[in-house]
Amino acid sequence: MAAVRLEFRNVTRRFAPTRRSEGVTAIEGVSIAVRDREVVSLIGPSGCGKSTLLNLSAGLDGPSVGEVFVDGAKVTGPNSHVAFMLQKDLLLPWRTIRENVEFGLEIRKVPATQRREIALGQLKICHLDGFENHYPHQLSGGMRQRAALARTMATDPSVVLMDEPFSALDAQTKLVLQKDMAQTLSRLGKTCLFITHDLAEAVALSDRVLVMSKRPGRIIEEIAIDLPDRDDPIARRSSEKVTPYLRRLTELLDVAHADV
Amino acid sequence: MSRTATALGQPAVLVSMLIGVIFVAAWEWLPGMLGVARFIIPPASAVAEEIVFMFARENLLYHTAVTSLSVAIGFVLGAALGAAIGYALAVSPTAEFALSPYILALQIAPKVAFAPLFVMWFGFNLMPKILVATLIVFFPVMVNVLGAVRQIDRDQINLGRAFNATRLELFWKIEVPASMPALFAGLRIAATLAVIGVIVGELVGGSVGLGYLLAFGQGQANTPMVFGVIIMLTLIGLVAYLAVVVAEARVLHYMPKRDFGAR
């Protein structure tokens, strides 16, 4: 069995009550193991604590109970093994596309020439060669999200965390970007935890799908997607074998909605 | 977009110039036709004549230079101080919380009212007017910087944190550049306020500067002189404002292009 890259051991995260809001338990007793090169999707109703999971993985937040491990090391703060990508591209408007891709490398003190080389390579992979000197506002939403993907991959993380990275894009751009991302992940052999609302996207892109319940979020089901073409979501989508998985997930989410 | 701008630009420039010509012509002849006395509204030609006369006899160039210098020093000091304190408060919520009632009080206090006090403290020199300008420039700059840093997307900061950025790196690589548009919006307001601060300082006391000439002209009941000084002051304000606009265009070169005067 392949090495475990990202692991949650019985993790609970409670937020203490503040003057403005009462305390909530965002996730409770979550155990997850994402193995090397695996793409695992996380679906669940909104407010089920998916983003909390992402923050815990990135070391931006710590668990109330339990432990999070990345590459076998306990996560105690932000670390260089993990990179994340959100629905918002978070490109810095005052930096060119290349400088944005270099952002993480710059903070890691990678020398300028090497930074440039890595950034240009990533931009090529993401089909953005020729746009390296453009500013973010000059690019379309889809291209900006490609640049965000290049920035995420530039630091060569062992675990990539994605929080609905394609949900703001139009349907066609979304399909193309899903395909590009799937190919990039499999070519670079990256491990990925992928948060999404889109059931078809989860089935098309992942090796496994984890279903979370309403708050407090728990993992209520794990479904292995036993289909070929993980690096070609468009091919996978067109296979009729996808349907039973979608039916099953739809059922489960209804359960998750009803079960409070 | 640029094509429509030039296509629209030509007639707009012509109309703009036409309005200017009509205004000056109306100024020149309309009051006379309506029977308004020359000492109430002197015609444009009389004001122009007076400006030329002031250059020759009243050392207008010297007074303009003194006022301009005071505006520049007051503006730079106030802007630097405002930006520094704005950033300091933005990165330290505790400091902001502790200081906010006093900052609010000082912000509400009419800054020009301090002018007599500064004259009493420092005498009839450049100091009082520079201080009034500094004080009046300080607040819009500080408030804009503080607000801008506060409004930065948390996720943007988290992205930096996830890359292991230090607090200092977050400040210089995200917070400072992200607050630049707001800083320049503050500086635009500050550029015009700086002129007001200096004028009030000069009106209150002193024997140099355009504010002094303004008071002198008033004492002589010399309306053309007052009009002339107002024109010179407007020119100083305009130069200060344009300097900010030029600097802004250089610093914020990455922003989508706006049509002139869009803000």
Side-chain angles (χ1 to χ4, degrees), chain A residues 12-64:
Chain A
T12 297
R13 178 68 174 108
R14 285 188 208 96
F15 291 97
T18 61
R19 225 186 317 167
R20 283 198 203 147
S21 65
E22 50 189 300
V24 289
T25 304
I27 55 169
E28 193 166 76
V30 170
S31 293
I32 299 173
V34 185
R35 288 181 289 275
D36 190 35
R37 293 168 184 260
E38 209 179 12
V39 176
V40 173
S41 283
L42 204 60
I43 61 172
S46 46
C48 72
K50 289 174 292 198
S51 301
T52 304
L53 272 178
L54 190 123
N55 285 341
L56 291 170
S57 311
L60 296 171
D61 190 12
S64 310

Side-chain angles (χ1 to χ4, degrees), chain A residues 11 16 39 111 165 180-181 197 253:
Chain A
V11 172
V39 176
D180 286 353
M181 189 202 73
H197 267 122
L253 275 185

Side-chain angles (χ1 to χ4, degrees), chain A residues 60 78-80 84 86 88 90 92-94 103-104 106-107 109 135 137 151 155, chain B residues 153 155-156 158-165 169 173-174 177-178 253-256:
Chain A
L60 296 171
N79 63 82
S80 54
F84 70 77
L86 306 184
K88 289 174 279 189
L90 297 180
L92 301 167
W94 53 88
F103 183 63
E106 196 178 302
I107 287 168
K109 310 277 184 289
Y135 285 93
H137 75 87
R151 178 191 57 205
T155 50
Chain B
D153 189 348
D155 288 326
Q156 194 85 73
N158 277 341
L159 179 80
R161 286 179 58 210
F163 281 133
N164 258 329
E169 282 172 325
K173 288 182 193 291
I174 297 179
H253 63 90
Y254 57 85
M255 297 283 272

Side-chain angles (χ1 to χ4, degrees), chain B residues 27 31-32 36-43 223 227:
Chain B
W27 182 8
V36 178
R38 282 175 72 92
F39 66 85
I40 302 289
I41 301 180
T223 338
F227 270 93

